[in-house]
Amino acid sequence: MQISAINVYQYDMPILGKPYKMSNTVLDHFDSTIVEIITDKNVVGYGETCPVGPVYQPQHALGARAALEEMGPNLIGANPLQIQNVYHIMEGSLNGHNYAKAAIDMALWDICGKFYGARVCDLLGGAVRENIPSYYSIGICPVDEAVEIAREKQAEGYPRIQLKVGGRPLEEDIAVIRRVSEVLNPGIRLAADANRAWTTRDALMVSLACEKVQFVMEQPCNTYDEVCSIRKQVHHPIYLDENTENLGMVLKAIGDGTADGFGFKTTRLGGISVMRTVRDVCREMNKPMSCDDSWGGDIIAAACVHMGATVPPHLFEGAWLAAPYIEKNYDPENGINIVNGHIDVPKGPGLGITPDTSIWGAPAIELG
Ligand code: 0XW
Ligand code: MG
């Protein structure tokens, strides 16, 4: 089998309801890049990469398309069933830009599944369950509002709540963690995600002020070194998210004893192939993890769900999806949705998504 053509689509994804607010950014739409890999055997695969605006992490929507334009021509004629070999071609064509390589990688897994008549989760070793937990992320908002949303989402069936914190007076962060924790039933897990915004002083003060509150501190400070410097002083488990740019950083964070767990983004790490390795490392080293992405439609969602379904349940923190904030599915029939805080693993081969490509308009880039 050969890759005969690659189409790259650009899609401006509107957000439902209020803008999405994190410590460092407010967003009302997202710029998604979708890759369609066409083969000479009539099998077509889809991948997607969608940074959550230009500030969240170094990944950039325009950069994704430029990177795909750079690497794409070298991939024409390659065998899409040999994912590792295609990855090597990408690495030989462009340094870095894992988030763009991730879209190609995802489409290759989709093709492999369709060709072999297997779901991506089966190719990844097998799903351990067919319905997996998600978690709900409450954006930066007034404390009372956050408490109301937490009550609502817990009642809906979400087993985990992530609170966005940072970028406002520290007293409000402390209040929101305390107040939300008070309304959560036993067993519902809580994380406070500063998205890099706290100084080491802030993180230490929050940990002290909320000493008796059970929550995970997610990506409190900007750099890995800052997080290392507070690691032994905080009372709370620390999860890394934005700092895990690649497999090397994940290994380092575990080896140094800096991370108690991870909020992983499939595209930031480089796609399903790298996530598979990272999943295995976390299983071996007993580290909890989530399978998320920063944003994206059904294609990214399916990739996260297939991977999440293969993670041992006691180590799985959930798959966060943008689905609750998105107007419509790419696949009107088998699109990914969250019901009662949980997600069904797609049934069809590959990623199990048959997108209505007309949603994205004409390709922005055509190769091959
Ligand atoms: C809540 N998320 C998974 C979605 C947003 O893009 C940010 C992210 C996070 O945990 O940082
Ligand atoms: Mg996070």
Side-chain angles (χ1 to χ4, degrees):
M1 194 191 268
Q2 286 192 353
I3 296 176
S4 45
I6 300 175
N7 292 324
V8 179
Y9 298 88
Q10 189 268 329
Y11 178 55
D12 270 323
M13 193 180 285
I15 175 165
L16 275 182
K18 282 192 194 164
Y20 189 68
K21 194 167 177 200
M22 293 188 279
S23 60
N24 48 23
T25 188
V26 183
L27 295 146
D28 58 12
H29 77 282
F30 297 89
D31 182 344
S32 195
T33 299
I34 298 122
V35 165
E36 179 180 51
I37 297 187
I38 298 163
T39 67
D40 60 350
K41 295 281 183 293
N42 249 348
V43 184
V44 178
Y46 292 95
E48 183 176 17
T49 189
C50 182
V52 56
V55 179
Y56 174 64
Q57 46 189 23
Q59 292 72 28
H60 185 223
L62 297 174
R65 292 189 284 279
L68 289 164
E69 204 162 13
E70 179 80 37
M71 298 183 290
N74 298 338
L75 306 178
I76 306 298
N79 183 345
L81 303 176
Q82 297 176 356
I83 300 177
Q84 187 176 243
N85 291 348
V86 178
Y87 219 104
H88 288 156
I89 300 174
M90 290 199 281
E91 278 165 347
S93 311
L94 181 69
N95 191 359
H97 298 270
N98 293 348
Y99 62 110
K101 290 171 182 157
I104 298 279
D105 176 80
M106 216 178 272
L108 298 175
W109 281 91
D110 192 25
I111 290 172
C112 280
K114 286 170 176 163
F115 181 77
Y116 293 118
R119 299 184 298 171
V120 167
C121 59
D122 300 323
L123 298 178
L124 291 168
V128 292
R129 48 189 168 171
E130 291 298 325
N131 181 257
I132 66 164
S134 182
Y135 67 90
Y136 195 84
S137 176
I138 302 177
I140 299 285
C141 63
V143 176
D144 288 343
E145 196 181 322
V147 171
E148 258 337 284
I149 301 173
R151 275 190 216 276
E152 207 180 279
K153 295 300 162 186
Q154 159 173 262
E156 223 175 289
Y158 280 90
R160 185 177 193 253
I161 299 290
Q162 184 203 63
L163 282 172
K164 292 297 184 198
V165 288
R168 63 181 173 185
L170 206 57
E171 304 74 61
E172 287 179 43
D173 287 346
I174 292 168
V176 83
I177 294 168
R178 284 184 180 155
R179 294 265 317 277
V180 166
S181 75
E182 281 162 14
V183 302
L184 295 184
N185 296 329
I188 307 291
R189 284 159 295 136
L190 180 65
D193 186 355
N195 290 113
R196 306 183 288 110
W198 284 341
T199 59
T200 53
R201 175 207 59 195
D202 294 343
L204 291 170
M205 288 192 5
V206 171
S207 188
L208 202 56
C210 301
E211 197 182 356
K212 296 265 167 352
V213 182
Q214 275 183 39
F215 73 98
V216 159
M217 198 178 264
E218 181 170 329
Q219 196 62 57
C221 308
N222 185 27
T223 65
Y224 179 73
D225 287 348
E226 284 169 276
V227 179
C228 282
S229 76
I230 59 164
R231 179 65 190 84
K232 294 220 161 57
Q233 301 174 70
V234 293
H235 299 272
H236 295 89
I238 294 186
Y239 282 17
L240 290 182
D241 182 347
E242 287 93 316
N243 287 159
T244 56
E245 295 257 359
N246 49 48
L247 173 62
M249 271 311 297
V250 176
L251 295 175
K252 183 169 168 51
I254 295 176
D256 292 350
T258 308
D260 298 296
F262 297 95
F264 285 134
K265 305 286 175 282
T266 308
T267 53
R268 180 176 67 229
L269 279 161
I272 292 173
S273 299
V274 187
M275 269 295 273
R276 177 184 53 172
T277 310
V278 154
R279 172 204 64 184
D280 293 344
V281 168
C282 284
R283 191 177 49 205
E284 282 302 312
M285 303 306 284
N286 227 10
K287 297 291 175 200
M289 58 179 277
S290 66
C291 290
D292 315 329
D293 224 304
S294 33
W295 209 268
D298 277 333
I299 300 165
I300 280 184
C304 297
V305 173
H306 280 285
M307 182 62 69
T310 69
V311 177
H314 71 287
L315 293 179
F316 190 53
E317 288 286 18
W320 181 90
L321 308 180
Y325 309 88
I326 293 175
E327 237 164 40
K328 59 180 172 192
N329 292 99
Y330 294 159
D331 179 343
E333 226 176 286
N334 296 304
I336 314 275
N337 294 306
I338 303 174
V339 180
N340 300 329
H342 291 71
I343 313 154
D344 281 337
V345 183
K347 298 265 177 280
L351 291 171
I353 297 297
T354 309
D356 170 3
T357 61
S358 68
I359 293 174
W360 312 319
I365 304 166
E366 289 175 277
L367 303 162

